[in-house]
Amino acid sequence: MIVRKVILYIAMSLDGYITDQHGRIDWLHGDNPTDEKTESYHHLLKHVDSVIMSETAFRMIEKRVNQYWIHQGLKIYVLSSLTQLSSDHVIVTSEDICSLVQKKQDSGKDIWICGGQQLITPLIQANMIDEYHISIIPILLGSGISLFHTGFSTIPLQLVESHENNGILDTIYIRRKETDINE
């Protein structure tokens, strides 16, 4: 049986923030703000069939791209207690993120994790993220909400891919195998 990969796919500023100090993401663009190329995003969509996101991420995406947002066709799990968000393709749950990810390992394509540090920290602590797809946006914000939070053990990673488009550096890291760590 092939185990589904858990993929963190997210963008951050060069200094490690996922929102500015006011919680905005309007800076998420490259050198040319009108260049909408998102090759890494479309590549990701070919390999995932579900996304688990925080309520905050859901609301940001919903506001930014209205009702016809790009996740159509994916099963969306939103971690929230607000059941009015539910629809045919959106399932709202207050379940623990690690338990939800564990239950979704049975079959299907990979799982996309979309959200900030409160969502991903438990997964990092449990070493449940298989791939880190991080797009580094060419901006220094100075403050805001950082991508990573403290409180987890060291997890050695290996860079498997990187490319630049419009000043944005897209990187993909995987967890190194134990044999690679001990050498």
Side-chain angles (χ1 to χ4, degrees), residues 2 12 38 44 47 79 99 118 139 162-163 169 172 174:
I2 297 175
M12 70 177 190
T38 55
L44 174 77
H47 300 281
L79 296 182
S99 300
Q118 290 182 337
I139 189 169
S162 68
H163 61 276
L169 181 61
I172 300 176
I174 60 171

Side-chain angles (χ1 to χ4, degrees), residues 88-182:
D88 290 342
H89 70 285
V90 177
I91 299 165
V92 177
T93 179
S94 58
E95 189 170 357
D96 168 78
I97 181 72
C98 293
S99 300
L100 181 60
V101 167
Q102 193 65 37
K103 278 202 295 194
K104 300 300 163 205
Q105 286 297 325
D106 296 340
S107 64
K109 293 182 177 181
D110 296 336
I111 302 168
W112 170 18
I113 304 300
C114 177
Q117 63 176 235
Q118 290 182 337
L119 183 75
I120 67 170
T121 297
L123 294 172
I124 293 171
Q125 289 171 334
N127 204 14
M128 293 178 77
I129 297 176
D130 299 301
E131 293 184 7
Y132 294 78
H133 293 222
I134 301 175
S135 296
I136 302 168
I137 309 299
I139 189 169
L140 296 171
L141 295 176
S143 65
I145 297 176
S146 63
L147 173 56
F148 297 108
H149 186 59
T150 60
F152 52 85
S153 299
T154 301
I155 300 174
L157 303 174
Q158 174 185 347
L159 178 67
V160 293
E161 187 177 327
S162 68
H163 61 276
E164 180 272 337
N165 181 32
N166 191 24
I168 298 172
L169 181 61
D170 290 315
T171 61
I172 300 176
Y173 292 89
I174 60 171
R175 292 184 310 213
R176 276 196 267 164
K177 296 177 180 66
E178 289 297 321
T179 55
D180 295 339
I181 298 168
N182 296 327

